Amino acid sequence: MPRAGRRRAAAALTSVVVGVVALSGCAGPAASPHPAQPDAGVQLFQRPWTSIATECAATIGPAGFAWVLTSPPQEHITGSQWWTSYQPVSYTLDSKLGTADEFAAMVDACNAAGVKVVVDAVINHMAGIDDGTGFAGTPFSHDDYPGLYTAADFHHCALTADDDISDYSSREQVQTCELSNLADLDTSSPTVRSTIASYLNGLLDLGVTGFRIDAAKHMAADDVAAIVEMLPKDTMIVSETIRGGAAEAVQPEEYTSIGRVLEFQYARDLSPQVEGGVLSDPLLEDPRPSHVASKDAVVFIDNHDTERGEASLTYRDRGRYLLANALMLADDYGTPLVYSGYAFTDNDAGAPQDDTGHVIGWTCDGVTGPHDAYDDGDGVCTEAWTAVAGMLEFRAYAGDAPRLPGVGDGTVYGFEREARGILLVNPSNDADTVTVRTGLPDGEYCDVISGGRAAAVDGGCRGTALIVDHGELTAAVPGIGALAIHVGDRP
Ligand code: LAG
Ligand code: CA
């Protein structure tokens, strides 16, 4: 079958990329540096497949992202709200984000640009409404999906009056009752498991690399593990397990043997510091308190749920949001996932769509940073920000160098990745000049926050030039601004 062939081609491409960048230095830190393999991803929320295809080649690949996380690709209930994507009607790849052919072409385009594709897999549940006709024309009712599932394939928990989850201290409720009325699949059933696995294997056959497991907390870890065991061994898995505190029955740690998990505590610790203007070191030992181990964590400043809820920094915070993203990308904890959505005032509002219900889409040509103001529906285009590309380059050169204890004074805080790079951020409104000690070799460097990737040009710097002299860096850090230098970007 050509499908299996495509998958092998994608895997081969990946190993070539790894081979080129995996030359790590055998000498000390002062040796000529090589960038490590990229690891960071970007969530392109509600971005149509044709837009992602363009964007992989135009900005995401060149910026140095390793992967994109897409919104759910399966048929869903009709409606203009974004969250219709989270109410599956069938596993046909025909949605407001595009057709199966457009999806396949997007995967090919991204893989060709060196960007892996991770798909949001909604497998805990089906629709939350009584009945209807799906986006691709499939008729359904709450627990009956023709050719796919019948009532026997769903949990009917009978633990609460309406079968909805109400008590998060009850494992049985969280995993077998309905999450806000969404028909809860009986993921302990072998036939349900294999139906889900064949949906996911079909996506892998198209060249996808892995999955965000939506609502993983609402499925027993054994159920998720059994489904993942039906996929190829190298499938990337990122479970969405919202950390809900010690009183909750289900904890993220239960899912780390299956793959990585989204660590919600990271932004809860970092963002209020940036917002409040007073930064300090987290506990630098691994694992950090209330965090899974670094190797198990995918971290983010916000996502499509938290930007409508708990997140203390979002695109609306512009410069401070950028600082939080820079701090995350410079860190030695977890795998970062940058978020890129669209502006909104109504939490339910979907991305702009045409009269067939398809999202119109957007690409990010010419975007270099946060806008001063956003109109509803504007793409935020975080992936195209100069500073983000610069910090991805910083991250690649930082490699596995440890994060050192924080430096700075006044309103400036920063940290070094030992002898590889140093980031200074200033969350206050006024510029502040600091002098800090650093293990970077003496000489001139180009700031990648203002200059982006390959900030050194024609013997100078695209952005700010900085000097390390006698092991000291003196720098004027702009208000609500940052500076970052690393050993790979020197004029
Ligand atoms: C997720 N992760 O575990 C997604 O990240 C999150 O965006 C999903 O909720 C949720 N789990 C289910 O996949 C979203 C919206 C909800 C929406 C739901 C289903 O945040 O607001 O619920 O998707 O579309 C909506 C209505 C509810 C209604 C429900 C069922 O808001 O009032 O009960 O639909 O009809
Ligand atoms: Ca469940």
Side-chain angles (χ1 to χ4, degrees), residues 124 155 174-177 184-185 218-219:
N124 170 65
H155 286 136
V174 170
Q175 297 184 330
T176 70
C177 292
D184 200 68
L185 284 163
H218 299 283
M219 294 177 277

Side-chain angles (χ1 to χ4, degrees), residues 466-488:
L466 292 166
I467 310 270
V468 173
D469 185 26
H470 290 91
E472 281 186 345
L473 169 67
T474 297
V477 190
I480 314 181
L483 294 168
I485 58 174
H486 63 78
V487 288

Side-chain angles (χ1 to χ4, degrees), residues 112-372:
V115 181
K116 295 169 190 156
V117 177
V118 177
V119 168
D120 199 346
V122 184
I123 60 174
N124 170 65
H125 55 260
M126 297 295 282
I129 56 179
D130 289 346
D131 50 47
T133 301
F135 190 87
T138 306
F140 69 95
S141 61
H142 193 72
D143 57 8
D144 194 13
Y145 300 81
L148 205 55
Y149 300 121
T150 60
D153 295 317
F154 290 90
H155 286 136
H156 303 278
C157 76
L159 296 169
T160 59
D162 54 4
D163 270 6
D164 265 12
I165 301 164
S166 66
D167 177 5
Y168 276 75
S169 72
S170 161
R171 173 178 300 270
E172 203 184 352
Q173 276 197 33
V174 170
Q175 297 184 330
T176 70
C177 292
E178 293 186 337
L179 171 62
S180 54
N181 204 43
L182 298 157
D184 200 68
L185 284 163
D186 177 5
T187 44
S188 71
S189 144
T191 58
V192 169
R193 288 176 178 178
S194 63
T195 302
I196 291 170
S198 66
Y199 164 49
L200 302 181
N201 274 316
L203 290 164
L204 292 167
D205 286 345
L206 295 177
V208 154
T209 290
F211 304 100
R212 167 188 185 268
I213 307 294
D214 180 69
K217 178 160 89 177
H218 299 283
M219 294 177 277
D222 285 349
D223 295 357
V224 178
I227 293 163
V228 169
E229 268 157 31
M230 294 183 222
L231 312 177
K233 277 212 156 32
D234 60 350
T235 305
M236 176 171 162
I237 298 295
V238 183
S239 293
E240 192 237 17
T241 53
I242 302 176
R243 190 180 282 286
E248 286 205 1
V250 186
Q251 296 294 330
E253 283 73 8
E254 297 171 31
Y255 297 80
T256 55
S257 60
I258 304 166
R260 281 174 273 187
V261 302
L262 289 159
E263 179 50 86
F264 280 67
Q265 191 60 37
Y266 188 81
R268 292 172 188 163
D269 287 357
L270 176 60
S271 294
Q273 288 198 4
V274 180
E275 192 186 27
V278 183
L279 282 139
S280 63
D281 289 346
L283 191 77
L284 295 174
E285 280 103 79
D286 183 28
R288 296 180 185 180
S290 306
H291 288 60
V292 296
S294 175
K295 68 172 180 27
D296 297 327
V298 172
V299 296
F300 50 92
I301 301 304
D302 60 340
N303 65 31
H304 65 283
D305 291 321
T306 66
E307 74 170 342
R308 291 170 174 78
E310 69 171 63
S312 42
L313 290 176
T314 70
Y315 77 91
R316 292 193 182 96
D317 298 285
R318 300 187 294 275
R320 287 191 178 88
Y321 181 61
L322 188 155
L323 298 190
N325 275 283
L327 286 158
M328 170 177 76
L329 291 169
D331 205 346
D332 67 354
Y333 176 83
T335 301
L337 176 58
V338 170
Y339 176 69
S340 187
Y342 57 86
F344 61 95
T345 45
D346 173 357
N347 278 351
D348 293 330
Q353 38 203 269
D354 64 22
D355 53 19
T356 65
H358 287 95
V359 174
I360 292 164
W362 64 95
T363 51
C364 298
D365 280 359
V367 176
T368 57
H371 298 190
D372 291 337

Side-chain angles (χ1 to χ4, degrees), residues 17-109:
V17 174
V18 173
V20 170
V21 295
L23 314 155
S24 83
C26 48
S32 172
H34 293 285
Q37 188 188 352
D39 66 338
V42 58
Q43 177 181 359
L44 299 182
F45 176 59
Q46 289 291 305
R47 198 82 66 93
W49 315 142
T50 53
S51 298
I52 296 180
T54 307
E55 202 62 0
C56 269
T59 61
I60 296 168
F65 285 106
W67 49 289
V68 290
L69 170 60
T70 74
S71 282
Q74 86 296 320
E75 182 181 8
H76 49 76
I77 65 165
T78 57
S80 63
Q81 303 90 338
W82 61 267
W83 43 253
T84 59
S85 294
Y86 291 93
Q87 298 197 33
V89 168
S90 77
Y91 297 137
T92 302
L93 302 184
D94 188 354
S95 73
K96 57 169 62 181
L97 301 176
T99 64
D101 285 348
E102 289 167 339
F103 182 86
M106 174 274 288
V107 174
D108 288 348

